[in-house]
Amino acid sequence: MIKVKVKPDFISISGHANFADYGKDIVCSSVSSIVTTTVNAIMLFDSHSIEYKVQEGLVEIRIVEKNDSTRKLLDNMLNMFEELMRDYPKNIKVER
């Protein structure tokens, strides 16, 4: 299961969805795409607003500088994760 843990200035995304075989898992693929798109957009608008770390099965995002565009992009990312959670409750969990 992918676990998304949300704190005021920190988001952790960890685990594997185990929906399908490695390389064919649409839930893992969706989460990866959402995270990559969000981080890239934030870095484009304000590269100093977040710090992030990517490892196998783990992404950590620390909010360093709060601003409107970063907040909106992160809120959108979390909303997309919650949509996935409604469709795949056995594979992803969002804890706010």
Side-chain angles (χ1 to χ4, degrees), residues 54-67:
V54 179
Q55 294 177 266
E56 176 65 31
L58 175 67
V59 177
E60 295 177 334
I61 301 170
R62 182 170 311 281
I63 303 162
V64 177
E65 201 175 286
K66 294 181 181 181
N67 62 54

Side-chain angles (χ1 to χ4, degrees), residues 6-10 63 66:
V6 183
K7 296 182 180 176
D9 295 328
F10 185 78
I63 303 162
K66 294 181 181 181

Side-chain angles (χ1 to χ4, degrees), residues 3-47:
K3 293 183 181 176
V4 180
K5 295 182 181 178
V6 183
K7 296 182 180 176
D9 295 328
F10 185 78
I11 299 169
S12 171
I13 303 138
S14 62
H16 295 283
N18 296 316
F19 178 78
D21 293 337
Y22 184 80
K24 297 179 182 180
D25 193 317
I26 61 172
V27 178
C28 276
S29 178
S30 296
V31 169
S32 295
S33 295
I34 292 166
V35 170
T36 300
T37 301
T38 301
V39 168
N40 286 344
I42 291 170
M43 298 306 284
L44 182 66
F45 288 119
D46 184 355
S47 62

Side-chain angles (χ1 to χ4, degrees), residues 46-83:
D46 184 355
S47 62
H48 302 290
S49 66
I50 64 168
E51 295 174 350
Y52 66 97
K53 179 171 74 171
V54 179
Q55 294 177 266
E56 176 65 31
L58 175 67
V59 177
E60 295 177 334
I61 301 170
R62 182 170 311 281
I63 303 162
V64 177
E65 201 175 286
K66 294 181 181 181
N67 62 54
D68 197 44
S69 60
T70 298
R71 182 189 56 77
K72 286 179 181 178
L73 287 164
L74 290 173
D75 284 347
N76 183 65
M77 178 183 76
L78 295 172
N79 289 337
M80 293 172 79
F81 289 156
E82 287 174 342
E83 286 290 323

